[in-house]
Amino acid sequence: AAELRRRGCGEEDKIAILSANSATAFECMLAIYAIGAVFVSVNAGAHESEKLSILTGCDADVLCHQDRFGEEAARLQAGSRVRSCIALAHLARFDAGDRLVSLYGSGGTTGTPKGIMFTNRVWDTMTANFLLGLDCRDAVFLMVPPFTHGAGSIAMPLPSFGGTLVIHDKFDAERVLRTIEAERIAHLWLPPTAVYAL
């Protein structure tokens, strides 16, 4: 999404993807949605004339493509109002392994809080543990404590299972109880003092 924005794509731009099924193409589709642009569906297996008809009929602004469709993408751009073509291989991708992505403060119970390093692999592992240990599919989680601490760590994996996050900006016992009933809250993480207040 950041790379699409860097290349001048923005809200309401119509962006097509010319690619066979691939993780990168799917990620690109999600990135299009994330920046508020419009995804234009093009069947990579269709005849070139049909692709051109879709691009012109939908007024596509940008065409992202796999390398193997590079020459065809150039022809499609020449015959339409597509202003730019972007090779999917050139879109920035984050390392899915041991790249540092978060620093969280330790509890500080034995001294000054220290920065704990979280990598992509740490978040992947936590998400896998949630899937194994809890039935979080379609769960509704109420996040009351700061997202920068334990509640945020629990909230992070839930959207990948289709979970819903309900977010309060501060703790209020009566409001929490009303929300549990009204929103059908299934999961809640609170420190002991908040539990006692409830």
Side-chain angles (χ1 to χ4, degrees):
E3 182 65 10
L4 288 175
R5 286 196 187 98
R6 192 185 72 78
R7 290 171 176 263
C9 301
E11 290 186 12
E12 299 182 6
D13 273 343
K14 299 179 182 70
I15 306 175
I17 301 175
L18 181 57
S19 172
N21 279 358
S22 75
T24 305
F26 193 77
E27 290 168 358
C28 183
M29 181 183 69
L30 296 177
I32 291 168
Y33 295 139
I35 67 172
V38 178
F39 170 61
V40 177
S41 176
V42 176
N43 183 350
H47 190 274
E48 188 171 321
S49 62
E50 183 179 331
K51 296 172 190 172
L52 184 61
S53 175
I54 292 169
L55 292 174
T56 55
C58 294
D59 290 329
D61 301 292
V62 177
L63 178 60
C64 300
H65 62 87
Q66 275 182 317
D67 283 347
R68 65 180 174 175
F69 293 107
E71 292 182 4
E72 183 180 16
R75 291 193 301 271
L76 291 169
Q77 181 181 10
S80 66
R81 64 180 295 270
V82 168
R83 68 173 185 260
S84 64
C85 289
I86 302 174
L88 287 173
H90 297 159
L91 291 177
R93 295 195 64 191
F94 291 119
D95 179 12
D98 294 319
R99 180 179 179 274
L100 178 66
V101 294
S102 310
L103 285 167
Y104 277 82
S106 63
T109 53
T110 58
T112 304
K114 300 167 186 68
I116 299 172
M117 297 185 292
F118 279 53
T119 64
N120 276 313
R121 197 177 312 280
V122 169
W123 286 115
D124 285 347
T125 303
M126 288 178 63
T127 301
N129 284 336
F130 263 83
L131 187 60
L132 289 171
L134 291 172
D135 185 1
C136 295
R137 290 165 295 187
D138 300 321
V140 183
F141 175 70
L142 175 58
M143 185 165 63
V144 181
F147 72 93
T148 53
H149 206 265
S153 299
I154 292 173
M156 184 71 94
L158 292 180
S160 65
F161 309 134
T164 299
L165 304 181
V166 179
I167 301 172
H168 286 188
D169 59 349
K170 62 183 178 181
F171 176 75
D172 177 288
E174 290 187 7
R175 183 181 179 207
V176 167
L177 290 173
R178 286 196 306 269
T179 302
I180 289 172
E181 182 178 15
E183 300 292 340
R184 311 284 294 173
I185 301 299
H187 298 279
L188 175 63
W189 184 95
L190 291 173
T193 51
V195 174
Y196 298 151
L198 289 177

